[in-house]
Amino acid sequence: MIIVTGGAGFIGSNLIRALNLRGEKNILLVDNLANGQKMHNIAVLDIADYMDKTEFLQKIESPAFFKDVRAVFHQGACSATTEWDGQYVMTNNYDYSKRLLHWCITKKSAFMYASSASVYGNGKHGFRVGRDCEHPINMYAYSKFQFDQYVRQILPESACQIAGFRYFNVYGSREQHKGAMSSTAYHFNRQVIEQKKAKLFAGCDGLADGEQKRDFVYVDDVVKVNLWFLDHPEQRGIYNVGTGRAETFNTVAQAVINWHKEGAIEYIPFPEHLKGSYQSYTQADISGLRQAGYTEEFLTVDQGVSRYLDELNSAASQ
């Protein structure tokens, strides 16, 4: 059996879809469906069972719970970078992850988990997997950083595979339930359809309007990395998962406009509440991923947005 936590979420549901395409159906999907809109992500997926996160956490305390688990893809977390209830974030992102990690070690199951590029903070120290680059600037980032730190202590002693993936700006299918936390590609698409305008933040941190840069990575590429590690159980560690390219928000908006063959860019004031806790630049150092042996190329923004909108707008029209 394979377990996917956060399996009804964005990356989790795409992982299950890819596993299904491989013929894998013996999958336990763990999530919290308080947001029932997430059911649209999983209605077409084949799984063996669904379990609520609360019940799952109770079950893993039982020695008899699932003796033959090949791997756990731990994607479940509070992903809101604007959440400042530290107790809530640490309970959901840190404590939960620790308990599941130790359960996997006991069961000798592979443990692949979602970390985040947010651990690099404003990026002034670079985006290399290393303590000197890690300066989280919000609670979500801190929770991911602190779990990575915990994993670093466990790695040398563990006989099972442990791999953490620092996702950069992931976009693609099955993210619509995230609301305000959905990707800019998703929001720009809706805005161009409804208003003929893509709304971008005005310049900040000395940058021109819309020239903030992120490493935008298509969700299918993220899934490929996860499955590659499943196929290579000898690989372990913490890895950046991005394209290795920094592209502007203007580039994303223009890719959306080009797909629709209409629309324009409008710049809006930079939000006050994001000042001081916003990443104006990210670019993954993927040398660790390459050294591990991963050779697949990553889609550019133009390629990924085009593929995404083909699917997104086709589904909306049905």
Side-chain angles (χ1 to χ4, degrees):
M1 173 169 277
I2 293 174
I3 298 175
V4 182
T5 72
F10 175 31
I11 296 174
S13 60
N14 277 288
L15 263 170
I16 294 174
R17 174 178 173 272
L19 287 166
N20 283 170
L21 291 173
R22 285 181 162 208
E24 297 273 5
K25 297 182 181 179
N26 190 18
I27 299 168
L28 172 64
L29 190 163
V30 178
D31 212 307
N32 173 356
L33 286 178
N35 176 1
Q37 293 296 323
K38 289 194 287 188
M39 61 77 52
H40 295 294
N41 290 343
I42 60 177
V44 297
L45 305 180
D46 292 315
I47 60 173
D49 201 1
Y50 165 84
M51 190 173 292
D52 184 82
K53 171 195 165 183
T54 302
E55 181 185 3
F56 177 67
L57 279 169
Q58 293 169 349
K59 291 279 190 182
I60 64 173
E61 301 299 332
S62 168
F65 180 65
F66 285 127
K67 295 182 179 179
D68 186 22
V69 175
R70 178 183 175 193
V72 172
F73 290 99
H74 181 40
Q75 308 297 312
C78 165
S79 60
T81 57
T82 54
E83 178 58 70
W84 284 101
D85 184 336
Q87 185 177 47
Y88 173 80
V89 173
M90 292 301 281
T91 297
N92 281 274
N93 294 3
Y94 183 65
D95 296 339
Y96 180 15
S97 299
K98 282 174 61 179
R99 290 173 66 183
L100 191 49
L101 168 61
H102 284 287
W103 183 80
C104 285
I105 291 171
T106 300
K107 299 293 183 180
K108 296 181 172 58
S109 303
F111 180 73
M112 269 80 78
Y113 72 94
S115 183
S116 169
S118 65
V119 302
Y120 299 117
N122 58 26
K124 289 182 180 178
H125 301 276
F127 299 93
R128 177 181 52 81
V129 178
R131 181 65 186 90
D132 56 327
C133 296
E134 298 158 3
H135 297 269
I137 55 178
N138 56 51
M139 267 311 307
Y140 168 75
Y142 178 76
S143 69
K144 292 296 187 178
F145 158 77
Q146 192 56 50
F147 184 65
D148 283 348
Q149 287 287 79
Y150 189 79
V151 165
R152 283 169 169 152
Q153 301 175 61
I154 299 293
L155 268 170
E157 307 168 3
S158 174
C160 73
Q161 182 187 27
I162 303 172
F165 304 124
R166 289 182 172 173
Y167 299 144
F168 278 67
N169 279 72
V170 188
Y171 65 97
S173 301
R174 295 181 167 85
E175 63 167 324
Q176 64 279 356
H177 67 280
K178 295 176 67 178
M181 297 305 296
S182 297
S183 72
T184 51
Y186 177 82
H187 289 298
F188 293 161
N189 180 64
R190 295 307 314 160
Q191 291 164 4
V192 170
I193 289 173
E194 296 170 2
Q195 306 168 34
K196 310 303 182 195
K197 292 180 180 179
K199 297 183 178 181
L200 281 68
F201 289 156
C204 65
D205 298 329
L207 298 170
D209 294 347
E211 286 298 297
Q212 299 93 335
K213 290 184 176 181
R214 296 280 181 87
D215 191 326
F216 297 99
V217 58
Y218 190 54
V219 69
D220 287 0
D221 286 335
V222 168
V223 168
K224 285 180 182 179
V225 171
N226 276 266
L227 296 186
W228 186 88
F229 276 85
L230 179 67
D231 296 337
H232 294 81
E234 73 283 0
Q235 298 298 332
R236 48 171 51 200
I238 299 170
Y239 304 89
N240 284 333
V241 179
T243 66
R245 294 181 297 268
E247 301 191 66
T248 68
F249 285 92
N250 281 326
T251 302
V252 180
Q254 195 58 55
V256 172
I257 290 167
N258 290 345
W259 190 93
H260 284 284
K261 297 183 173 59
E262 65 174 348
I265 293 174
E266 176 183 330
Y267 299 106
I268 60 176
F270 192 87
E272 286 293 327
H273 72 279
L274 291 180
K275 290 181 178 178
S277 59
Y278 184 81
Q279 289 179 311
S280 294
Y281 179 90
T282 64
Q283 182 174 354
D285 177 342
I286 57 173
S287 58
L289 202 58
R290 296 308 191 197
Q291 289 167 12
Y294 188 79
T295 59
E296 291 278 343
E297 292 300 317
F298 293 87
L299 297 180
T300 65
V301 161
D302 284 340
Q303 293 168 330
V305 167
S306 178
R307 186 177 298 185
Y308 179 25
L309 297 196
D310 283 347
E311 184 173 350
L312 181 62
N313 294 321
S314 172
S317 64
Q318 292 177 359

